Amino acid sequence: MSLIALQRDFHAHLVDASSGLKARISARASSGLSIYRNAYRAQLTDCLGETFVQTRAWLGGETFIDAARSHVQRMPPSSWTLGAYGDGFDGTLSELYPDDPEVAELARIEWMLSKAFEAEDADALPASVISGIDWDNAVIVFVPTLRTIPALTNAGAILSELAEGGSPPAAASLPEPASMLIWRHNFTPCFRSIEAVERQAIELTDAGASFADLCATLVGMRGKEDGLALAGQMLGQWFADGLVHKVHMRFNPCA
């Protein structure tokens, strides 16, 4: 057997003990292999438990361990660092709990929060600068940690209560599909639920639209009075949340 074939069999055995490797090695080596395999799986399971603390609390310890072991078999590590191993765990949970979508959604939020914590630093502008900006030509640049993900359940409320040591609400679907906004403010990963209109506003702004363009879009959707009021509310909330990294002026050749 070549070295590469042996390495592949060894890896396959770590993931799935039925690979047949034991039949081709000595009893002494087989005993050591079992110890190594158990340690390998335990380390990966512990890694997932440290990343998905609230998901583990929601599922319960033993159930979470079973899910983590399924993930180890479904998706072995492929990165040089264990810090990346949580990627895709929500997909495993979706397959394991198709009738409980809050489980995968809870894990997805936790994973994105961990990624926000590790992302590059970027200072946020204070709300005190708002009055000094020419909003007719201003283009907002968000902090680089900002992400949005779909939200179909009340997983956000469940996570908040679990993190605070409270009693989480029963799982429930949201009346309307929404989104979860995730970012880091200073050294704290943050999240909040947003409606479809705010997600559209964030995507439009992130694509380079000016604040005036955003206002025009919202006026077209909600009418002049409500559209401008909504734009102002969003702007104030974005500054309060620490989402605005900088504001630059749009080039206007006719000015």
Side-chain angles (χ1 to χ4, degrees):
M1 176 183 291
S2 67
L3 177 59
I4 187 63
L6 181 61
Q7 288 174 328
R8 286 171 178 165
D9 279 358
F10 179 71
H11 181 267
H13 182 78
L14 293 179
V15 176
D16 182 2
S18 64
S19 65
L21 179 63
K22 275 190 174 184
R24 299 196 298 274
I25 59 178
S26 67
R28 181 177 179 182
S30 178
S31 176
L33 185 62
S34 295
I35 294 172
Y36 189 91
R37 178 175 184 270
N38 289 337
Y40 167 86
R41 293 166 69 87
Q43 184 179 27
L44 293 179
T45 298
D46 289 345
C47 172
L48 292 172
E50 291 172 3
T51 301
F52 299 97
V53 175
Q54 309 312 335
T55 305
R56 178 171 184 160
W58 179 251
L59 283 175
E62 290 301 319
T63 303
F64 180 87
I65 289 173
D66 289 342
R69 287 173 177 167
S70 294
H71 184 66
V72 171
Q73 185 164 338
R74 174 180 179 266
M75 189 176 291
S78 59
S79 174
W80 65 272
T81 172
L82 282 179
Y85 189 55
D87 191 16
F89 187 49
D90 60 317
T92 296
L93 294 176
S94 290
E95 291 186 4
L96 292 174
Y97 305 103
D99 297 327
D100 301 297
E102 84 286 349
V103 177
E105 198 165 296
L106 185 59
R108 192 172 302 121
I109 297 171
E110 283 203 274
W111 178 245
M112 295 303 294
L113 287 171
S114 73
K115 293 295 96 183
F117 182 75
E118 298 170 358
E120 63 181 294
D121 293 330
D123 293 332
L125 291 175
S128 58
V129 306
I130 292 178
S131 60
I133 294 174
D134 174 15
W135 290 107
D136 288 337
N137 295 293
V139 178
I140 294 171
V141 178
F142 292 120
V143 293
T145 58
L146 182 66
R147 298 289 186 275
T148 58
I149 58 175
L152 302 177
T153 75
N154 63 337
I158 292 171
L159 191 150
S160 294
E161 285 297 326
L162 289 172
E164 295 174 4
S167 298
S173 297
L174 297 177
E176 297 287 340
S179 296
M180 195 65 65
L181 190 65
I182 296 173
W183 74 102
R184 190 183 75 231
H185 185 46
N186 296 325
F187 298 105
T188 304
C190 307
F191 70 95
R192 66 176 173 87
S193 180
I194 59 174
E195 296 181 356
V197 65
E198 185 171 3
R199 176 167 183 163
Q200 289 177 294
I202 288 173
E203 290 174 346
L204 185 65
T205 301
D206 205 33
S210 68
F211 185 68
D213 293 333
L214 174 60
C215 289
T217 298
L218 293 175
V219 166
M221 294 170 61
R222 299 290 181 90
K224 184 174 182 179
E225 184 175 347
D226 290 346
L228 292 178
L230 182 57
Q233 292 169 9
M234 287 183 185
L235 182 66
Q237 186 68 60
W238 294 346
F239 271 93
D241 287 341
L243 298 178
V244 181
H245 174 43
K246 57 185 177 181
V247 176
H248 63 79
M249 294 298 110
R250 177 176 57 182
F251 175 65
N252 187 353
C254 298

